[in-house]
Amino acid sequence: MNESPQFGAAPALCVDLDGTLSRTDTLVETLLMLIKQKPLAVLLLPFWLMRGRAAFKAAVARAVRFDPEDLSYNEELIAWLRIERAAGRRIVLATAADERIARPIAAHLGIFDDVIASDGSANRKGRAKAEALRDAYGAFVYVANDDVDVPVWEAAEEAVLVAGSPASGKRLAKYVSFARVFGPPSPRPAWRLWLRQLRVHQWAKNALIFVPLVLAHQISNPEKLAVAAMAFLAFSLCASSVYVLNDLLDLGSDRRHVTKKNRPFAAGALPLEAGFAMIPLLLVPAFAIALAIDFGFAAVLAGYYALTLAYSLELKRQPVVDVFTLAGLYTIRLFAGGVVAGVHLSPWLLAFSIFLFLSLAIVKRVGELQGLPRDSAPALHGRGYGRDDLPILTALGVASGYASVVIFSLYINAPDSRALYPNHAFLWLFIPLILFWISRVWLKTWRGEMHDDPIVFALKDRVSQLTALAAGGVLLVSAVQNV
């Protein structure tokens, strides 16, 4: 291990890994890496488990490419450990995780003198860990976080708690007297964290389902409006399940991102295991609602889910393909709205939407590149772009946005426009509004002032809200008879 200080008489300070040094469970993290890196290897998991817990951990650790930088660490605890080691204390990483995971972590942090971990045959957890520590060091101080650690705390000279939550801290204090307690990672209540994790604010994107109903002038039909509202809920639940899955699979990249590192799973504020349970809890009611509406709508929702799954697993790492996929996911929402409303989607609407959504998808990527710290790597982790791609991406995005305006201009004098909008000449007022908005979005993006999601930006931005209000007024005046 690393060069150690001269050890004094103080007992060795032994530190657990999962939920203590790391905010999350490394076995769950490596299983997620396996799903992402080698999806077919998931089929081998039952056979690995049949060989025992220690062998299972070793097999998973061997199968993945593990980078200790991708974990979320308890920085407060690490700072304390550095002080203790500088004072001459022996610091030991004592974990039930496999040694193929534990040793790279110890080397990465540079504060541990020894590592005691599972090795493929012995699963050093609970009493087995307590015996290993007592045999190796005699007296020791143990730092951990969970009920399974109670036997180790009982064998230790002193107990230190890293509380996962205020409730868990109070519960464990009934069984163990702690010399020191480190608080939970987030003071926010769990329901607030889940609202953020499910990204309820992103449900606004699913309002695109109502667009075909509005453009067909059937928004006042209560029956169709109710069905569209159910479709909105189904898409929202499905989308949230995808957000959970995406964040679980993208932990390493998110933790290296300026803002995404604060997402609940990436920051370790929510348990990863709960994310696994949440995916079906959202997906099942989503498809139940979809089937209750219409089989055709359920098929569209299934297509949306399949595409988002492909995006999460692979497509988001493919340059250009990723932004076309994002544009397609927006457009699918329009198809879904057309299906539930029984409205045939105009080729004009589809062409306008595809170009506009492609522009917004590129805004997202350019915004992420602009947000890279100057002293960081010149590429987005987990994406196929670097800073050198900014000029071409910006050119493609601006051109795509302006192309959507050209398409709308052509639509104004088309027979479809005259049939739906008695005062179609007023639609020309829509052109400067959309031109202004697209230009402003790209200006802010180039300046590095764009939220990583342009839809979220539009919802919060006062100028965007006023522009949308004016555009809605133009459409209304154009559709009213005898103006």
Side-chain angles (χ1 to χ4, degrees):
M1 298 305 297
N2 300 286
E3 185 178 345
S4 303
Q6 194 67 35
F7 300 121
L13 188 54
C14 302
V15 186
D16 184 34
L17 174 59
D18 298 328
T20 303
L21 184 70
S22 167
R23 294 289 191 186
T24 57
D25 189 315
T26 55
L27 178 59
V28 178
E29 295 244 6
T30 51
L31 286 171
L32 289 167
M33 292 175 194
L34 185 70
I35 294 171
K36 186 174 182 178
Q37 296 172 10
K38 299 178 180 178
L40 293 179
V42 174
L43 300 175
L44 299 174
L45 291 178
F47 302 99
W48 292 346
L49 194 56
M50 290 169 61
R51 293 157 49 191
R53 186 83 172 178
F56 176 77
K57 293 176 183 178
V60 174
R62 281 195 300 267
V64 300
R65 298 185 305 275
F66 174 73
D67 188 342
E69 289 188 26
D70 288 343
L71 290 183
S72 175
Y73 294 102
N74 188 326
E75 298 298 339
E76 182 186 4
L77 175 61
I78 290 173
W80 178 63
L81 294 176
R82 292 190 189 282
I83 294 172
E84 291 294 310
R85 189 170 189 271
R89 195 82 170 264
R90 180 190 293 272
I91 310 295
V92 180
L93 180 58
T95 175
D98 188 76
E99 61 184 1
R100 293 171 182 82
I101 303 299
R103 293 192 181 280
I105 291 172
H108 169 65
L109 293 176
I111 56 175
F112 293 101
D113 303 293
D114 295 320
V115 174
I116 288 182
S118 299
D119 58 7
S121 57
N123 184 35
R124 293 194 166 91
K125 184 176 183 179
R127 295 192 184 282
K129 184 190 290 187
E131 292 174 6
L133 293 178
R134 194 163 45 234
D135 292 343
Y137 307 109
F140 63 92
V141 175
Y142 186 57
V143 186
N145 71 300
D146 204 357
D147 296 72
V148 73
D149 297 301
V150 171
V152 193
W153 276 320
E154 290 175 343
E157 294 292 305
E158 284 186 356
V160 177
L161 173 67
V162 176
S165 67
S168 67
K170 291 179 181 178
R171 184 184 70 253
L172 289 168
K174 296 178 181 178
Y175 308 103
V176 182
S177 177
F178 294 108
R180 179 166 183 156
V181 176
F182 291 87
S186 174
R188 295 183 180 181
W191 68 269
R192 284 187 178 274
L193 292 171
W194 276 113
L195 283 180
R196 184 178 179 189
Q197 177 55 53
L198 299 181
R199 299 187 213 169
V200 174
H201 62 283
Q202 298 274 19
W203 289 11
K205 297 177 183 178
N206 301 320
L208 290 169
I209 288 172
F210 295 96
V211 169
L213 207 59
V214 172
L215 296 182
H217 303 165
Q218 297 185 37
I219 193 66
S220 58
N221 184 319
E223 183 178 343
K224 290 190 174 183
L225 186 61
V227 174
M230 291 175 63
F232 172 87
L233 179 59
F235 249 86
S236 298
L237 293 174
C238 182
S240 285
S241 75
V242 173
Y243 293 144
V244 171
L245 177 61
N246 181 74
D247 287 359
L248 287 174
L249 295 178
D250 222 18
L251 290 171
S253 297
D254 284 353
R255 286 167 182 158
R256 297 170 187 246
H257 193 274
V258 176
T259 57
K260 293 180 182 179
K261 66 182 180 181
N262 297 317
R263 287 177 174 174
F265 286 141
L270 286 176
L272 302 181
E273 304 91 316
F276 280 108
M278 185 59 69
I279 292 171
L281 288 176
L282 294 165
L283 206 55
V284 170
F287 277 94
I289 295 171
L291 289 169
I293 293 172
D294 180 76
F295 183 79
F297 172 72
V300 174
L301 186 63
Y304 167 84
Y305 184 73
L307 187 57
T308 54
L309 193 61
Y311 176 80
S312 294
L313 290 173
E314 179 58 33
L315 298 183
K316 64 184 176 185
R317 288 183 287 278
Q318 303 302 321
V320 181
V321 174
D322 64 330
V323 290
F324 273 87
T325 303
L326 287 174
L329 291 172
Y330 282 114
T331 307
I332 286 175
R333 291 170 167 93
L334 292 176
F335 273 108
V339 169
V340 298
V343 173
H344 174 71
L345 294 184
S346 163
W348 291 104
L349 173 62
L350 290 176
F352 170 79
S353 302
I354 288 170
F355 279 98
L356 180 61
F357 295 151
L358 179 59
S359 182
L360 295 181
I362 298 174
V363 162
K364 183 178 176 67
R365 286 293 175 263
V366 172
E368 289 175 342
L369 284 169
Q370 290 281 29
L372 283 174
R374 294 299 173 186
D375 57 348
S376 71
L380 282 172
H381 189 268
R383 300 293 187 270
Y385 302 102
R387 285 198 190 96
D388 292 343
D389 298 319
L390 275 171
I392 185 62
L393 282 175
T394 301
L396 290 172
V398 173
S400 182
Y402 277 34
S404 70
V405 180
V406 172
I407 291 169
F408 194 90
S409 301
L410 295 173
Y411 167 72
I412 292 174
N413 285 323
D416 293 6
S417 168
R418 294 174 182 272
L420 276 174
Y421 297 95
N423 304 295
H424 71 282
F426 281 97
L427 289 175
W428 284 106
L429 297 175
F430 190 89
I431 300 301
L433 291 172
I434 189 67
L435 272 174
F436 164 76
W437 187 76
I438 290 172
S439 302
R440 184 171 179 272
V441 163
W442 273 105
L443 179 62
K444 283 194 163 290
T445 302
W446 188 253
R447 289 176 174 176
E449 299 173 2
M450 177 57 59
H451 189 284
D452 61 2
D453 192 317
I455 302 299
V456 174
F457 165 80
L459 291 173
K460 296 180 178 180
D461 178 53
R462 179 59 60 86
V463 174
S464 296
Q465 294 167 357
L466 293 174
T467 304
L469 188 63
V474 167
L475 293 177
L476 182 62
V477 171
S478 303
V480 174
Q481 296 278 359
N482 302 320
V483 172

mmCIF file of all heavy atoms in Angstrom, residues 39-68:
data_model
loop_
_atom_site.group_PDB
_atom_site.id
_atom_site.type_symbol
_atom_site.label_atom_id
_atom_site.label_comp_id
_atom_site.label_asym_id
_atom_site.label_seq_id
_atom_site.Cartn_x
_atom_site.Cartn_y
_atom_site.Cartn_z
ATOM 1 N N PRO A 39 -24.395 -6.393 -21.413
ATOM 2 C CA PRO A 39 -25.791 -6.737 -21.098
ATOM 3 C C PRO A 39 -26.073 -8.246 -21.116
ATOM 4 O O PRO A 39 -26.824 -8.744 -20.275
ATOM 5 C CB PRO A 39 -26.584 -6.015 -22.199
ATOM 6 C CG PRO A 39 -25.697 -4.906 -22.651
ATOM 7 C CD PRO A 39 -24.305 -5.422 -22.520
ATOM 8 N N LEU A 40 -25.477 -8.974 -22.044
ATOM 9 C CA LEU A 40 -25.741 -10.415 -22.137
ATOM 10 C C LEU A 40 -25.185 -11.179 -20.944
ATOM 11 O O LEU A 40 -25.677 -12.267 -20.609
ATOM 12 C CB LEU A 40 -25.158 -10.974 -23.438
ATOM 13 C CG LEU A 40 -25.828 -10.474 -24.732
ATOM 14 C CD1 LEU A 40 -25.144 -11.088 -25.949
ATOM 15 C CD2 LEU A 40 -27.317 -10.825 -24.729
ATOM 16 N N ALA A 41 -24.156 -10.621 -20.297
ATOM 17 C CA ALA A 41 -23.568 -11.297 -19.134
ATOM 18 C C ALA A 41 -24.537 -11.361 -17.956
ATOM 19 O O ALA A 41 -24.342 -12.157 -17.034
ATOM 20 C CB ALA A 41 -22.281 -10.593 -18.709
ATOM 21 N N VAL A 42 -25.583 -10.535 -17.998
ATOM 22 C CA VAL A 42 -26.595 -10.555 -16.934
ATOM 23 C C VAL A 42 -27.222 -11.953 -16.836
ATOM 24 O O VAL A 42 -27.633 -12.388 -15.752
ATOM 25 C CB VAL A 42 -27.670 -9.483 -17.207
ATOM 26 C CG1 VAL A 42 -28.812 -9.582 -16.207
ATOM 27 C CG2 VAL A 42 -27.038 -8.095 -17.138
ATOM 28 N N LEU A 43 -27.281 -12.660 -17.971
ATOM 29 C CA LEU A 43 -27.859 -14.011 -17.971
ATOM 30 C C LEU A 43 -27.056 -14.988 -17.119
ATOM 31 O O LEU A 43 -27.570 -16.028 -16.705
ATOM 32 C CB LEU A 43 -27.948 -14.526 -19.412
ATOM 33 C CG LEU A 43 -28.816 -13.697 -20.376
ATOM 34 C CD1 LEU A 43 -28.716 -14.245 -21.792
ATOM 35 C CD2 LEU A 43 -30.258 -13.670 -19.911
ATOM 36 N N LEU A 44 -25.792 -14.657 -16.858
ATOM 37 C CA LEU A 44 -24.929 -15.539 -16.062
ATOM 38 C C LEU A 44 -25.069 -15.317 -14.561
ATOM 39 O O LEU A 44 -24.546 -16.114 -13.768
ATOM 40 C CB LEU A 44 -23.469 -15.329 -16.465
ATOM 41 C CG LEU A 44 -23.106 -15.639 -17.930
ATOM 42 C CD1 LEU A 44 -21.659 -15.236 -18.196
ATOM 43 C CD2 LEU A 44 -23.319 -17.112 -18.225
ATOM 44 N N LEU A 45 -25.744 -14.252 -14.169
ATOM 45 C CA LEU A 45 -25.817 -13.908 -12.741
ATOM 46 C C LEU A 45 -26.364 -15.040 -11.864
ATOM 47 O O LEU A 45 -25.800 -15.314 -10.796
ATOM 48 C CB LEU A 45 -26.652 -12.636 -12.558
ATOM 49 C CG LEU A 45 -26.027 -11.339 -13.084
ATOM 50 C CD1 LEU A 45 -26.983 -10.164 -12.876
ATOM 51 C CD2 LEU A 45 -24.703 -11.047 -12.380
ATOM 52 N N PRO A 46 -27.458 -15.726 -12.255
ATOM 53 C CA PRO A 46 -27.947 -16.815 -11.388
ATOM 54 C C PRO A 46 -26.914 -17.918 -11.181
ATOM 55 O O PRO A 46 -26.814 -18.490 -10.083
ATOM 56 C CB PRO A 46 -29.173 -17.336 -12.150
ATOM 57 C CG PRO A 46 -29.597 -16.203 -13.026
ATOM 58 C CD PRO A 46 -28.340 -15.510 -13.412
ATOM 59 N N PHE A 47 -26.127 -18.235 -12.231
ATOM 60 C CA PHE A 47 -25.113 -19.287 -12.111
ATOM 61 C C PHE A 47 -23.963 -18.836 -11.208
ATOM 62 O O PHE A 47 -23.423 -19.638 -10.436
ATOM 63 C CB PHE A 47 -24.591 -19.659 -13.501
ATOM 64 C CG PHE A 47 -25.678 -20.128 -14.440
ATOM 65 C CD1 PHE A 47 -26.231 -19.261 -15.376
ATOM 66 C CD2 PHE A 47 -26.169 -21.426 -14.356
ATOM 67 C CE1 PHE A 47 -27.239 -19.689 -16.227
ATOM 68 C CE2 PHE A 47 -27.175 -21.857 -15.203
ATOM 69 C CZ PHE A 47 -27.713 -20.990 -16.142
ATOM 70 N N TRP A 48 -23.593 -17.562 -11.297
ATOM 71 C CA TRP A 48 -22.558 -17.041 -10.416
ATOM 72 C C TRP A 48 -23.022 -17.070 -8.960
ATOM 73 O O TRP A 48 -22.249 -17.388 -8.061
ATOM 74 C CB TRP A 48 -22.199 -15.609 -10.809
ATOM 75 C CG TRP A 48 -21.511 -15.488 -12.139
ATOM 76 C CD1 TRP A 48 -20.952 -16.502 -12.863
ATOM 77 C CD2 TRP A 48 -21.306 -14.296 -12.888
ATOM 78 N NE1 TRP A 48 -20.425 -16.016 -14.032
ATOM 79 C CE2 TRP A 48 -20.610 -14.660 -14.073
ATOM 80 C CE3 TRP A 48 -21.630 -12.957 -12.703
ATOM 81 C CZ2 TRP A 48 -20.254 -13.740 -15.044
ATOM 82 C CZ3 TRP A 48 -21.271 -12.024 -13.669
ATOM 83 C CH2 TRP A 48 -20.583 -12.415 -14.829
ATOM 84 N N LEU A 49 -24.289 -16.729 -8.756
ATOM 85 C CA LEU A 49 -24.822 -16.679 -7.385
ATOM 86 C C LEU A 49 -24.875 -18.064 -6.756
ATOM 87 O O LEU A 49 -24.723 -18.204 -5.523
ATOM 88 C CB LEU A 49 -26.215 -16.045 -7.406
ATOM 89 C CG LEU A 49 -26.808 -15.613 -6.075
ATOM 90 C CD1 LEU A 49 -25.884 -14.650 -5.340
ATOM 91 C CD2 LEU A 49 -28.177 -14.965 -6.281
ATOM 92 N N MET A 50 -25.061 -19.088 -7.565
ATOM 93 C CA MET A 50 -25.118 -20.455 -7.049
ATOM 94 C C MET A 50 -23.791 -20.882 -6.426
ATOM 95 O O MET A 50 -23.743 -21.806 -5.612
ATOM 96 C CB MET A 50 -25.506 -21.418 -8.181
ATOM 97 C CG MET A 50 -26.949 -21.282 -8.634
ATOM 98 S SD MET A 50 -27.284 -22.197 -10.171
ATOM 99 C CE MET A 50 -26.905 -23.867 -9.666
ATOM 100 N N ARG A 51 -22.701 -20.196 -6.772
ATOM 101 C CA ARG A 51 -21.379 -20.541 -6.250
ATOM 102 C C ARG A 51 -21.089 -19.872 -4.905
ATOM 103 O O ARG A 51 -20.004 -20.053 -4.344
ATOM 104 C CB ARG A 51 -20.315 -20.144 -7.270
ATOM 105 C CG ARG A 51 -20.383 -20.966 -8.538
ATOM 106 C CD ARG A 51 -19.757 -20.277 -9.738
ATOM 107 N NE ARG A 51 -18.427 -19.758 -9.451
ATOM 108 C CZ ARG A 51 -17.768 -18.934 -10.259
ATOM 109 N NH1 ARG A 51 -18.339 -18.524 -11.387
ATOM 110 N NH2 ARG A 51 -16.569 -18.515 -9.932
ATOM 111 N N GLY A 52 -22.026 -19.086 -4.412
ATOM 112 C CA GLY A 52 -21.841 -18.431 -3.124
ATOM 113 C C GLY A 52 -21.674 -16.928 -3.271
ATOM 114 O O GLY A 52 -21.326 -16.419 -4.349
ATOM 115 N N ARG A 53 -21.910 -16.235 -2.163
ATOM 116 C CA ARG A 53 -21.896 -14.769 -2.193
ATOM 117 C C ARG A 53 -20.517 -14.219 -2.557
ATOM 118 O O ARG A 53 -20.395 -13.315 -3.376
ATOM 119 C CB ARG A 53 -22.316 -14.259 -0.809
ATOM 120 C CG ARG A 53 -22.481 -12.762 -0.705
ATOM 121 C CD ARG A 53 -23.831 -12.333 -1.179
ATOM 122 N NE ARG A 53 -24.060 -10.920 -0.904
ATOM 123 C CZ ARG A 53 -25.166 -10.272 -1.254
ATOM 124 N NH1 ARG A 53 -26.148 -10.912 -1.873
ATOM 125 N NH2 ARG A 53 -25.316 -8.983 -0.990
ATOM 126 N N ALA A 54 -19.469 -14.754 -1.968
ATOM 127 C CA ALA A 54 -18.118 -14.241 -2.237
ATOM 128 C C ALA A 54 -17.727 -14.492 -3.686
ATOM 129 O O ALA A 54 -17.148 -13.624 -4.347
ATOM 130 C CB ALA A 54 -17.113 -14.896 -1.295
ATOM 131 N N ALA A 55 -18.023 -15.684 -4.200
ATOM 132 C CA ALA A 55 -17.700 -16.002 -5.592
ATOM 133 C C ALA A 55 -18.513 -15.132 -6.549
ATOM 134 O O ALA A 55 -18.022 -14.744 -7.614
ATOM 135 C CB ALA A 55 -17.962 -17.477 -5.860
ATOM 136 N N PHE A 56 -19.747 -14.834 -6.165
ATOM 137 C CA PHE A 56 -20.605 -13.977 -6.986
ATOM 138 C C PHE A 56 -19.995 -12.583 -7.126
ATOM 139 O O PHE A 56 -19.897 -12.035 -8.222
ATOM 140 C CB PHE A 56 -21.989 -13.889 -6.342
ATOM 141 C CG PHE A 56 -22.944 -12.956 -7.042
ATOM 142 C CD1 PHE A 56 -23.571 -13.327 -8.218
ATOM 143 C CD2 PHE A 56 -23.216 -11.699 -6.513
ATOM 144 C CE1 PHE A 56 -24.452 -12.474 -8.867
ATOM 145 C CE2 PHE A 56 -24.093 -10.836 -7.143
ATOM 146 C CZ PHE A 56 -24.715 -11.230 -8.325
ATOM 147 N N LYS A 57 -19.580 -12.001 -5.995
ATOM 148 C CA LYS A 57 -18.963 -10.676 -6.022
ATOM 149 C C LYS A 57 -17.702 -10.682 -6.880
ATOM 150 O O LYS A 57 -17.452 -9.740 -7.645
ATOM 151 C CB LYS A 57 -18.621 -10.217 -4.603
ATOM 152 C CG LYS A 57 -19.819 -9.961 -3.710
ATOM 153 C CD LYS A 57 -19.352 -9.602 -2.311
ATOM 154 C CE LYS A 57 -20.526 -9.419 -1.362
ATOM 155 N NZ LYS A 57 -20.077 -9.107 0.013
ATOM 156 N N ALA A 58 -16.895 -11.736 -6.736
ATOM 157 C CA ALA A 58 -15.648 -11.813 -7.500
ATOM 158 C C ALA A 58 -15.932 -11.912 -8.994
ATOM 159 O O ALA A 58 -15.251 -11.280 -9.812
ATOM 160 C CB ALA A 58 -14.830 -13.013 -7.027
ATOM 161 N N ALA A 59 -16.956 -12.696 -9.373
ATOM 162 C CA ALA A 59 -17.282 -12.867 -10.786
ATOM 163 C C ALA A 59 -17.761 -11.551 -11.399
ATOM 164 O O ALA A 59 -17.378 -11.200 -12.524
ATOM 165 C CB ALA A 59 -18.346 -13.944 -10.945
ATOM 166 N N VAL A 60 -18.598 -10.828 -10.677
ATOM 167 C CA VAL A 60 -19.078 -9.541 -11.172
ATOM 168 C C VAL A 60 -17.922 -8.562 -11.302
ATOM 169 O O VAL A 60 -17.797 -7.843 -12.307
ATOM 170 C CB VAL A 60 -20.168 -8.968 -10.237
ATOM 171 C CG1 VAL A 60 -20.561 -7.556 -10.668
ATOM 172 C CG2 VAL A 60 -21.397 -9.869 -10.228
ATOM 173 N N ALA A 61 -17.040 -8.525 -10.292
ATOM 174 C CA ALA A 61 -15.895 -7.606 -10.319
ATOM 175 C C ALA A 61 -14.964 -7.909 -11.486
ATOM 176 O O ALA A 61 -14.419 -6.997 -12.116
ATOM 177 C CB ALA A 61 -15.132 -7.685 -8.996
ATOM 178 N N ARG A 62 -14.782 -9.189 -11.802
ATOM 179 C CA ARG A 62 -13.922 -9.562 -12.927
ATOM 180 C C ARG A 62 -14.534 -9.153 -14.269
ATOM 181 O O ARG A 62 -13.812 -8.872 -15.230
ATOM 182 C CB ARG A 62 -13.681 -11.079 -12.934
ATOM 183 C CG ARG A 62 -12.638 -11.560 -11.947
ATOM 184 C CD ARG A 62 -12.213 -12.987 -12.266
ATOM 185 N NE ARG A 62 -13.348 -13.914 -12.195
ATOM 186 C CZ ARG A 62 -13.668 -14.602 -11.119
ATOM 187 N NH1 ARG A 62 -12.952 -14.482 -10.010
ATOM 188 N NH2 ARG A 62 -14.700 -15.420 -11.124
ATOM 189 N N ALA A 63 -15.851 -9.128 -14.328
ATOM 190 C CA ALA A 63 -16.536 -8.918 -15.610
ATOM 191 C C ALA A 63 -16.633 -7.452 -16.017
ATOM 192 O O ALA A 63 -16.920 -7.164 -17.180
ATOM 193 C CB ALA A 63 -17.943 -9.525 -15.538
ATOM 194 N N VAL A 64 -16.403 -6.516 -15.091
ATOM 195 C CA VAL A 64 -16.616 -5.101 -15.408
ATOM 196 C C VAL A 64 -15.306 -4.329 -15.442
ATOM 197 O O VAL A 64 -14.302 -4.752 -14.869
ATOM 198 C CB VAL A 64 -17.573 -4.437 -14.388
ATOM 199 C CG1 VAL A 64 -18.927 -5.124 -14.384
ATOM 200 C CG2 VAL A 64 -16.971 -4.429 -12.983
ATOM 201 N N ARG A 65 -15.353 -3.195 -16.149
ATOM 202 C CA ARG A 65 -14.248 -2.235 -16.097
ATOM 203 C C ARG A 65 -14.584 -1.225 -15.011
ATOM 204 O O ARG A 65 -15.461 -0.376 -15.191
ATOM 205 C CB ARG A 65 -14.087 -1.530 -17.452
ATOM 206 C CG ARG A 65 -13.750 -2.466 -18.589
ATOM 207 C CD ARG A 65 -13.478 -1.690 -19.886
ATOM 208 N NE ARG A 65 -14.585 -0.817 -20.227
ATOM 209 C CZ ARG A 65 -15.658 -1.206 -20.910
ATOM 210 N NH1 ARG A 65 -15.780 -2.466 -21.302
ATOM 211 N NH2 ARG A 65 -16.616 -0.351 -21.196
ATOM 212 N N PHE A 66 -13.895 -1.335 -13.877
ATOM 213 C CA PHE A 66 -14.215 -0.500 -12.719
ATOM 214 C C PHE A 66 -13.218 0.641 -12.597
ATOM 215 O O PHE A 66 -12.004 0.423 -12.629
ATOM 216 C CB PHE A 66 -14.203 -1.351 -11.437
ATOM 217 C CG PHE A 66 -14.369 -0.554 -10.180
ATOM 218 C CD1 PHE A 66 -15.596 0.000 -9.852
ATOM 219 C CD2 PHE A 66 -13.291 -0.334 -9.328
ATOM 220 C CE1 PHE A 66 -15.759 0.751 -8.694
ATOM 221 C CE2 PHE A 66 -13.434 0.407 -8.167
ATOM 222 C CZ PHE A 66 -14.673 0.954 -7.851
ATOM 223 N N ASP A 67 -13.727 1.839 -12.441
ATOM 224 C CA ASP A 67 -12.897 3.027 -12.242
ATOM 225 C C ASP A 67 -13.275 3.646 -10.900
ATOM 226 O O ASP A 67 -14.404 4.112 -10.729
ATOM 227 C CB ASP A 67 -13.136 4.036 -13.363
ATOM 228 C CG ASP A 67 -12.159 5.213 -13.316
ATOM 229 O OD1 ASP A 67 -11.542 5.418 -12.263
ATOM 230 O OD2 ASP A 67 -12.039 5.928 -14.330
ATOM 231 N N PRO A 68 -12.359 3.661 -9.926
ATOM 232 C CA PRO A 68 -12.702 4.201 -8.595
ATOM 233 C C PRO A 68 -13.087 5.679 -8.623
ATOM 234 O O PRO A 68 -13.744 6.160 -7.701
ATOM 235 C CB PRO A 68 -11.426 3.972 -7.778
ATOM 236 C CG PRO A 68 -10.338 3.787 -8.776
ATOM 237 C CD PRO A 68 -10.987 3.154 -9.971
#
